[in-house]
Structures are given as C-alpha cells and as structure tokens.
C-alpha cells in the first residue's frame, strides 16, 4: 500500500471515539465507572440525530398522518413517508411500496406467517427454520403449524455454529412451502450465507424470509442482491426507537396477501356489504402508526448510511475478532460457537461462574452485557448450556472497552476463586 | 453503592461450590420443580414431611451462585422445622430482600449471608426461586 493509499485508508477508517460524542448516554457512569455498553444485540443506544428527529416531530409538526388537509398533518405525512423512503434506500429495495412499517422484527415475521404462508399451507406441508433462530422466528411458525397442520422442520447446525447451503437443501422437500432463517445469529454472531441459501431455496420453488434484526446494524444489506422475498428488521437495533421496524416484501407477493389486522388506514372503501383493502404497504398498516417512531427510525438509518455501513462493518469485524480472541484467552472461558464469519456478538460460559454472576460482577464495573438464553432456548439446548454470557458490539465500541471486559472477566475469576 | 463483596460473601461462594444435600431424596413425600424463565435457573426440591415437620430436604438443579447458595442454605436449615416456621422465615427473608425491613431488625437466621442480594434488584429472583419452589411443594396452607 502506498503512503497515499494508506492515508486514505486511515482517513476513511471509522473513529469510534469521535462517533461516541453523537450518543449522549455514552457519557454517563454506572456504579462510578464509565459505561461500557456491550449489550447492543439486545438494543442499541440512540444518537442525538434520532433523539432530535422524534423530539422535533412532537415539538414542531406532529399530527396524525394521511388524509389530513391541515398543514401539520401534511408535514407529518411527509416526514413519515420520508422515513419509508430512507428505509427503502437502506435496504436498496426497488420501491417504497415494498416497505411495511411494523412494530419490529417479531411483528414482521408474524405478519408474513399470517398473511402469506398460512393461506398457502395444507396439513403435512412443511416450514423450514434453522436451529439458531430466535424464538421470534420459531414460535410464529409453531402457532401456524398448530392452526394449519403444517410441520416445522429444522436445519441442524455444527458445533462451530454454522450450517451450509447443502444443509438447508437437505431439509427442503416437495412439501416445503416456506423457509425462514436468520441472517446473523443473535447468540453466536454467525453470518449465514443468505444469498446462496435464497438461490437454492428459489431453485426448489420455496419463498424465503430473512430475519435481519442482527445483520442490519452491522453490515450493508441489499435485498435485491440477496433476492429475499421478505426481509425483516427492527428500528431499535439500528440505533432507532423501539416499537418500530420494517418488513420488506416483494411487491407482487405483498399484493397477493390478505391483511394482517383490520382497521383504519388499510382500506380503500368500507361498507357493510363488503370492504375493499388498500394496496401495499397501507394494507398491512392498520390503525394510526408509530409516527414519531418511524421518523426516528428514518433518522437512524440515515445516520448509519452517513457513517457508512462498510466502515461500520470493517470497524466491528476488527473489534469482534479481538473480543473473541481476548475473551477466549481468559482462563476458564469457553466460547460458544466458532463461526468463520462472525458479526456483532460473542457468547461464552465460564467454568467457575454462571452467566448471571458474570453479568452482575461486570455491571459493578460499569460493563453491560447480557446473560441468559437470549430467546434461543433450542440453541442453548444444542450446546448443553442453560444460559450464556453475551458481549455484543456496536459502532461506538472501542478496543479499550473490549480490554475492560477482559479485565472484568479476570475479576470474576478472582472472586470465584480461580486466580488469574 | 452496593459492593460486589456484599453479594458474593465467602459463605455464599462456598455453598455454591459445595452445595449441601444436593441430591434426589428417596423416598420423599413432596416434590416441586422451579424455573426462572428469565435466566434458565432451575431447581428440583424434595421434601420428606412427617406431619407438619420437615424430616429431610434435598435439591438438585442448575443455576447461578445466588440461587444455588440460597437452595443449599434452605435445605440445610429445613430439617426439623415445621412448615409454618419455614413459611415465617421466608416471609422475613422476602421482607429484607424487598427493603421492607433492615436485616438487623429481624432474625434472618442462616439466611443472613444472602441479605446483600437486596442491593441487586436484578438478582432477587435468583434468591427466592428455591423458596418459591418450596412453597409450591408444600401442601396448601389452611386458611
């Protein structure tokens, strides 16, 4: 690399210390120590731009959206629909009409199960998921199976926490009607080869939903390149507000689907003789939406696009690799899974201390991690652990914070009698 | 600020490492399973009652240091006590954990080392799980 190239590389490198100033909460202390927030897979902190977007909505132009003639309603509608446009750009979806605002990934999956899959399955038909799914991508399908007599099939994973395209293909049968899988595991951090899997499923005529809740914060996502039929993610995991998320769905599929909920805003005309539904996405957005939340969500994805998803991915890849190595080197620590492609999270157990004890001791040092089953009980069972400790990273985390985590784990060992 | 040492007292860590009466009790007259869905802590409690008196108690399970030590302390003190005595002691324990009274205002007996849990609201469930399981194992109270 030439000196010029090098200086360009350095100049474009993400500086987490500078970005931290965008997040007011990161200035606070916990138990007298600077906050080290490593629970980003559960939820991310909010930059000032997101806080301002929501605040300005309520302070300056808030009113209910759509069909309003007065100025505030028009301004709110413009901001709300503008957010839809930002989310479209974030996913590189072909059209804004393919972006459905939902409460979050969970609702997106339930919507697809209810409105797309349920009408298409008969008793004995099969839905395929993988062993590393979050409960939100298991339970909606179990409910659907109970109602329809369909059967849930599960793609197994290796000890490293991976599955291959061939593993998925092996689970597809002539009766498979749908594949729903996670892009990035919230526990293992595994980045799944989604593009290849979607291609394989399509070759079998199987439509696919990708749960992108843990992928969207960490890497550029292009739904056209992935060729996914549906892609779901949550605002609060991409530094936006809670209670808002988006479902991308191919327009031709959305157009065939029946409504998820009935109410206002999702109809073209209502009479007691019969009701005509609105076109997507309005058809799936019954009731007054989370207006300020959607506007904050739009500000959040704008923020990420401004920082640059490629730069975020590069920074985090380095950070997570360092974390996996440094945490694994602490005596008594066992990492859960060893995926070749990892993003966002490192899960582990310790010989001497239960994950909840680890989390409490770290919290006393200002370090926030999560302990528990992370809404993935089947995965915990797969690894024979009741719970794990999970450190998960975001764009504002630093190498020094990883080192603080490691020092905290040594303290756990000291307290629990394994001197290190 | 609550110090971490207030939570992980030496006796708690020792009970975590060497839990007492950590086995299946056979024969037993009463049994219940308890689970904390938040963290996955799980306890199986076994009792042998002679009328209203606990003759023997044991537990099995998997959990954090706090729930393990709490279960261990509980089954260690239970034999020879009446059901009513155990209920009363749990009421005292809960009152301390929820800050309704100070540890030095009441007699926590052998549970005193667990008083530090009151500074850690996120861990109250761990400390009371064995006791809630005990109450479920016991015959319902006469009112």
């Amino acid at each position: 690399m030439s000196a010029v190239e090098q200086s360009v590389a350095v100049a474009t490198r993400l500086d987490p210390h500078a970005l931290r100033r965008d997040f007011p909460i990161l200035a606070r202390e916990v138990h007298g120590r600077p906050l080290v927030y490593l629970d980003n897979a559960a939820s991310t902190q909010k930059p000032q731009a997101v806080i301002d977007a929501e605040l300005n909505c309520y302070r300056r132009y808030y009113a209910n959206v759509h069909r309003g003639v007065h100025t505030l309603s028009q301004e709110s509608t413009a901001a709300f629909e503008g957010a839809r446009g930002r989310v479209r750009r974030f996913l590189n979806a072909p059209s804004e009409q393919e972006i459905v605002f939902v409460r979050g990934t969970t609702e997106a999956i339930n919507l697809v199960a209810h409105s797309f899959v349920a009408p298409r399955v008969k008793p004995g038909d099969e839905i395929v998921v993988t062993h590393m799914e979050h409960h939100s991508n298991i339970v909606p399908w179990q409910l659907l199976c109970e109602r329809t007599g369909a059967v849930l099939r599960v793609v197994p994973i290796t000890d490293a926490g991976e599955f291959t395209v061939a593993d998925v293909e092996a689970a597809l049968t002539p009766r498979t009607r749908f594949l729903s899988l996670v892009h990035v595991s919230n526990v293992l951090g595994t980045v799944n080869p989604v593009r290849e899997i979607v291609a394989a499923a399509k070759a079998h005529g199987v439509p696919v939903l990708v749960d992108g809740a843990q992928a969207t914060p960490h890497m550029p996502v292009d739904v056209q390149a992935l060729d996914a039929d549906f892609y779901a993610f949550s605002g609060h995991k991409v530094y936006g507000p809670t209670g808002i998320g988006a479902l991308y769905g191919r327009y031709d599929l959305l157009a065939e689907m029946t409504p998820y909920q009935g109410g206002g805003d999702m109809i073209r005309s209502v009479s007691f003789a019969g009701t005509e539904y609105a076109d997507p996405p309005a058809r799936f957005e019954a009731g007054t939406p989370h207006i300020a939340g959607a506007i904050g969500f739009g500000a959040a994805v704008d923020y990420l696009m401004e920082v640059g998803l490629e730069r975020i991915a590069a920074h985090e890849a380095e950070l997570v690799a360092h974390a996996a190595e440094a945490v694994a080197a602490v005596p008594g620590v066992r990492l859960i899974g060893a995926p070749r492609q990892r993003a966002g999270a490192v899960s582990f157990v310790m010989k001497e201390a239960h994950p909840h004890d680890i989390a409490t001791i770290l919290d006393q040092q200002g370090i926030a991690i999560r302990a528990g089953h992370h809404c993935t009980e089947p995965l915990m069972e797969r690894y024979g652990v009741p719970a794990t400790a999970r450190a998960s990273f975001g764009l504002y985390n630093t190498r020094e914070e990883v080192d603080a985590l490691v020092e905290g784990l040594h303290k756990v060992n000291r307290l629990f009698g394994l001197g290190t | 600020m609550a110090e971490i040492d207030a939570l992980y007292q030496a006796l708690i860590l020792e009970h975590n490492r060497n839990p007492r009466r950590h086995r299946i009790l056979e024969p037993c007259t009463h049994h219940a399973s308890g689970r904390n869905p938040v963290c996955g802590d799980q306890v199986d409690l076994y009792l042998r009652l002679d009328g209203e008196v606990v003759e023997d108690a044991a537990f099995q399970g998997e959990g954090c240091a706090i729930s393990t030590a709490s279960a261990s302390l509980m089954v260690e003190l239970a034999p020879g006590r009446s059901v009513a005595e155990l209920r009363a002691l749990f009421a005292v324990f809960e009152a301390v954990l929820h800050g309704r009274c100070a540890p030095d205002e009441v007699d926590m007996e052998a549970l005193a080392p667990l008083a530090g849990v009151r500074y850690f609201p996120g861990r109250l469930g761990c400390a009371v799980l064995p006791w809630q399981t005990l109450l479920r194992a016991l015959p319902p109270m006469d009112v």
Side-chain angles (χ1 to χ4, degrees):
Chain A
M1 200 186 280
S2 74
V4 174
E5 279 172 333
Q6 219 158 25
S7 71
V8 169
V10 170
T12 58
R13 221 179 138 90
L14 181 150
D15 175 9
H17 297 280
L19 290 178
R20 291 176 74 82
R21 292 195 284 273
D22 295 338
F23 293 80
I25 204 171
L26 297 180
R28 77 162 276 183
E29 296 192 337
V30 169
H31 298 302
R33 304 279 200 95
L35 168 65
V36 175
Y37 187 76
L38 301 178
D39 193 18
N40 294 284
S43 203
T44 47
Q45 300 300 345
K46 317 307 172 198
Q48 191 64 47
V50 168
I51 298 167
D52 285 344
E54 267 203 83
L55 194 70
N56 286 339
C57 167
Y58 287 127
R59 286 174 66 116
R60 296 188 183 154
Y61 60 84
Y62 174 78
N64 209 337
V65 292
H66 301 146
R67 300 174 316 279
V69 170
H70 62 79
T71 303
L72 295 190
S73 179
Q74 285 171 14
E75 289 182 12
S76 278
T77 302
F80 179 75
E81 291 302 328
R84 197 189 303 278
R86 291 179 166 87
V87 173
R88 182 211 66 74
R89 197 153 70 83
F90 182 70
L91 294 178
N92 191 34
S95 156
E96 284 171 25
Q97 291 174 296
E98 296 174 302
I99 303 298
V100 181
F101 281 131
V102 289
R103 281 186 297 154
T105 308
T106 297
E107 187 172 54
I109 297 171
N110 278 279
L111 191 162
V112 172
H114 178 275
S115 294
F116 181 78
V117 183
R120 285 168 172 74
V121 295
K122 296 187 175 59
D125 283 349
E126 294 167 359
I127 312 294
V128 176
V129 297
T130 82
H131 209 131
M132 66 171 80
E133 301 306 324
H134 189 279
H135 292 166
S136 61
N137 200 21
I138 298 173
V139 183
W141 305 114
Q142 290 177 324
L143 290 169
L144 177 140
C145 288
E146 274 172 32
R147 282 198 307 270
T148 61
V151 180
L152 193 62
R153 286 175 66 101
V154 182
V155 177
I157 61 169
T158 62
D159 288 343
E162 297 174 323
F163 53 79
T164 62
V165 180
D167 295 331
V168 176
E169 279 186 304
L172 302 178
T173 75
R175 299 218 63 174
T176 307
R177 293 290 168 267
F178 201 72
L179 168 64
S180 192
L181 84 162
V182 72
H183 194 165
V184 172
S185 160
N186 69 315
V187 174
L188 308 166
T190 311
V191 182
N192 291 311
V194 166
R195 185 200 298 243
E196 292 78 2
I197 288 168
V198 170
K202 293 241 166 130
H204 286 78
V206 175
V208 185
L209 179 146
V210 179
D211 165 0
Q214 301 291 344
T216 38
H218 305 302
M219 61 189 70
V221 170
D222 180 334
V223 292
Q224 295 189 66
L226 293 178
D227 199 25
D229 298 293
F230 298 99
Y231 196 96
F233 76 113
S234 297
H236 74 99
K237 295 206 203 278
V238 292
Y239 310 92
T242 55
I244 187 78
L247 169 69
Y248 158 79
R250 258 176 48 204
Y251 191 81
D252 57 327
L253 302 181
L254 291 177
E256 289 171 11
M257 286 159 56
T258 51
Y260 176 51
Q261 293 181 328
D265 244 12
M266 50 74 70
I267 44 81
R268 182 171 294 141
S269 68
V270 177
S271 80
F272 287 112
T275 290
E276 212 180 312
Y277 307 125
D279 288 334
R283 186 184 299 169
F284 308 103
E285 294 179 354
T288 294
H290 186 8
I291 298 164
I295 292 165
F297 184 23
V301 296
D302 247 9
Y303 179 83
L304 289 182
M305 290 187 285
E306 213 168 285
V307 174
L309 273 305
E310 296 283 2
R311 291 168 77 220
I312 292 169
H315 164 65
E316 290 185 2
E318 216 176 286
L319 201 63
V320 170
H322 172 52
E325 197 184 317
V327 168
V330 176
V333 164
R334 176 164 69 93
L335 293 193
I336 301 298
R340 278 160 292 183
Q341 293 266 16
R342 186 200 289 274
V346 175
S347 269
F348 58 95
V349 292
M350 292 178 84
K351 193 155 175 271
E352 299 293 326
H354 185 279
H356 268 77
D357 298 315
I358 300 169
T360 295
I361 295 164
L362 291 177
D363 179 59
Q364 288 298 299
Q365 299 165 74
I367 305 167
I369 65 152
R370 191 149 291 252
H373 55 57
H374 317 294
C375 292
T376 57
E377 288 187 48
L379 187 63
M380 297 293 109
E381 212 183 327
R382 166 68 180 75
Y383 284 98
V385 293
T388 75
R390 179 188 68 187
S392 56
F393 303 89
L395 58 88
Y396 40 57
N397 289 126
T398 65
R399 219 177 150 85
E400 293 77 36
E401 289 181 310
V402 173
D403 297 338
L405 167 68
V406 168
E407 182 43 44
L409 297 179
H410 284 292
K411 176 153 189 189
V412 172
N413 272 339
R414 281 197 296 278
L415 201 67
F416 275 69
L418 187 72
T420 60
Chain B
M1 190 187 89
E3 286 302 329
I4 201 75
D5 302 343
L7 184 64
Y8 296 109
Q9 295 191 16
L11 191 73
I12 300 299
L13 293 171
E14 201 274 319
H15 271 263
N16 177 46
R17 189 157 300 201
N18 304 301
R20 318 295 196 265
R21 299 167 183 272
H22 190 247
R23 57 172 187 266
I24 297 174
L25 186 65
E26 252 177 349
C28 75
T29 58
H30 295 75
H31 163 253
S33 298
R35 188 159 182 276
N36 184 344
V38 179
C39 58
D41 280 2
Q42 195 227 308
V43 62
D44 270 284
L45 183 73
Y46 306 93
L47 296 170
R48 189 157 63 239
L49 259 62
D50 180 11
E52 280 293 300
V53 175
V54 175
E55 210 174 69
D56 205 352
F59 84 104
Q60 280 214 310
E62 206 165 359
C64 64
I66 303 306
S67 75
T68 303
S70 177
S72 176
L73 287 164
M74 184 183 78
V75 294
E76 192 176 48
L77 66 78
R81 309 272 184 137
S82 72
V83 168
E85 281 171 348
L86 289 173
R87 285 188 202 279
L89 181 56
F90 179 49
V92 167
F93 185 35
E94 260 200 316
V96 170
L97 290 185
H98 289 104
R100 291 195 295 272
C101 57
D104 55 5
E105 292 170 352
V106 288
D107 186 5
M108 292 181 72
E109 303 188 31
L111 304 181
L114 285 166
V117 181
R118 72 189 188 283
Y119 297 123
F120 297 84
R123 304 302 297 278
L124 295 177
C126 311
V128 301
L129 176 68
W131 285 89
Q132 288 167 337
T133 310
L134 174 88
L135 293 192
R136 268 216 313 286
L138 291 173
M141 215 172 359
D142 295 326
V143 223

